[in-house]
């Protein structure tokens, strides 16, 4: 069983995934008018990235922050997991 951690690194505006202490991925975001725009993600090919996406979105939900999943990976994740649709901001 792996030790998986996802934590916010606000000084770099990204959530970082570590697995057993090793880098596993990141999700970059920008705050705009109180909305988190997820602009880019990178995942080590050894990991599918679902932990990064789910935990990032769960943290924004806990903070009461809506998101714009402009990153294709996060957009697909939200489309495949309707339990996160309520987090998506109508941002135009």
């Amino acid at each position: 069983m792996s030790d998986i951690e996802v934590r916010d690194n606000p000084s770099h505006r990204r959530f970082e995934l570590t697995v057993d202490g090793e880098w596993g991925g990141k999700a970059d975001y920008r705050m705009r008018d109180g909305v988190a725009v997820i602009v880019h993600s990178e995942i080590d090919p050894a990991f599918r990235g679902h932990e990064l996406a789910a935990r990032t979105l769960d943290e924004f939900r806990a903070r009461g922050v809506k998101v714009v999943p402009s990153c294709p990976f996060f957009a697909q994740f939200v489309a495949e997991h309707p339990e996160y649709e309520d987090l998506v901001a109508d941002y135009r």
Side-chain angles (χ1 to χ4, degrees), residues 3-4 10 17-18 24-25 28-30 32 37 49 54 56 58 62 64 67 70 82 86-87:
D3 179 29
I4 298 171
L17 167 71
T18 58
D28 298 323
Y29 64 89
R30 302 292 179 262
R32 184 177 300 152
V37 181
T56 297
D58 289 343
V67 302
S70 64
D86 65 307
L87 286 177

Side-chain angles (χ1 to χ4, degrees), residues 39-56:
V39 295
H40 178 75
S41 64
E42 292 179 27
I43 305 294
D44 183 310
F47 309 108
R48 296 191 61 202
H50 293 225
E51 288 290 333
L52 176 62
R55 292 186 187 192
T56 297

Side-chain angles (χ1 to χ4, degrees), residues 7-10 12-16 26-30:
R7 63 182 167 86
D8 190 10
N9 183 339
H12 288 97
R13 296 180 307 234
R14 68 180 176 219
F15 279 84
E16 299 169 338
K26 68 175 185 159
D28 298 323
Y29 64 89
R30 302 292 179 262

Side-chain angles (χ1 to χ4, degrees), residues 31 33-36 56-67 86-87 89:
M31 296 303 296
D33 300 326
V35 173
T56 297
L57 295 171
D58 289 343
E59 181 60 29
F60 282 129
R61 175 179 277 138
R63 296 177 186 179
V65 174
K66 296 283 189 178
V67 302
D86 65 307
L87 286 177

